[in-house]
Amino acid sequence: MPITPATAVSRSSDDSPEAVILLELVDEDGNTIGTAEKLSAHQAPGRLHRAFSVFLFDERGRLLLQQRALGKYHSPGVWSNTCCGHPYPGEAPFAAAARRTFEELGVSPALLGEAGTVRYNHPDPASGLVEQEYNHLFVGLVRDPLRPDPEEVGDTVFVTPAELAERHEAAPFSAWFMTVLDAARPAIRELTGDSTGW
């Protein structure tokens, strides 16, 4: 990972440099109030920070889901929306969403638009970590073949609403998934049309 103004350098036990990822802390209205190291911001009770969630669809109106890689420290192996993450301090959420979509899935959205914000507090029972997030939502289209990074993504699948409902019953999903999906539904319907059932 390159060292940027959004990361700091610390020393590991073998004295090699390690990047420390910083998140942007916000107040209840989404105004920036400081920064915190990524893991510490997620430790209970959690600190409210800026995040984003992306929902990409194919030409048939199917939603692209990703299964988080097993090596991820937070919610490994569960299914979730197309891409989610955190802007670096000072980075625009739109730019962060496009950046991370490419980093995780090896593809740039053919179209990406803002879909509002949602604030939530979701503890993860498995890890004990807490998602206290002010989340910027984005919806868009994907047309190019995916090239997922195996360190980030375990699997991908495009689903219809009915297929999503079946998967959601049968497999573990991220704690925040339904919250961000429901908040993005008006923009999703505008993008995909009423006939897709979203």
Side-chain angles (χ1 to χ4, degrees):
M1 170 193 304
I3 305 301
T4 73
T7 60
V9 177
S10 65
R11 295 281 169 181
S12 66
S13 57
D14 65 358
D15 206 35
S16 60
E18 290 183 338
V20 175
I21 299 173
L22 299 178
L23 305 186
E24 195 169 270
L25 300 179
V26 298
D27 64 18
E28 293 291 339
D29 297 316
N31 300 307
T32 303
I33 59 172
T35 61
E37 189 275 325
K38 183 178 180 180
L39 183 57
S40 71
H42 289 89
Q43 290 171 336
R47 301 177 72 185
L48 185 59
H49 58 275
R50 195 176 309 283
F52 64 83
S53 290
V54 177
F55 297 86
L56 295 183
F57 295 81
D58 67 8
E59 297 289 351
R60 293 166 52 189
R62 298 180 303 168
L63 171 61
L64 174 59
L65 299 177
Q66 73 152 277
Q67 185 180 38
R68 295 166 62 84
L70 290 175
K72 294 182 84 73
Y73 80 95
H74 192 346
S75 302
V78 303
W79 288 92
S80 199
N81 47 295
T82 307
C83 179
C84 53
H86 310 92
Y88 291 135
E91 182 182 27
F94 182 93
R99 171 180 59 79
R100 282 303 290 165
T101 299
F102 184 80
E103 290 172 356
E104 292 188 8
L105 295 161
V107 66
S108 295
L111 173 74
L112 190 65
E114 295 182 7
T117 59
V118 62
R119 192 263 196 252
Y120 53 78
N121 175 2
H122 284 303
D124 176 34
S127 66
L129 299 174
V130 178
E131 290 289 4
Q132 282 264 24
E133 294 189 330
Y134 187 93
N135 197 307
H136 298 256
L137 308 171
F138 299 92
V139 301
L141 298 174
V142 60
R143 295 194 176 106
D144 296 329
L146 305 177
R147 295 174 317 221
D149 178 350
E151 292 189 10
E152 299 286 347
V153 180
D155 200 1
T156 59
V157 66
F158 285 93
V159 296
T160 65
E163 291 166 342
L164 173 60
E166 290 176 10
R167 280 182 173 270
H168 197 260
E169 283 288 319
F173 272 70
S174 63
W176 61 87
F177 175 74
M178 288 307 299
T179 299
V180 292
L181 175 63
D182 287 343
R185 280 187 196 274
I188 290 171
R189 291 189 192 104
E190 187 174 335
L191 175 74
T192 63
D194 292 336
S195 62
T196 61
W198 292 107

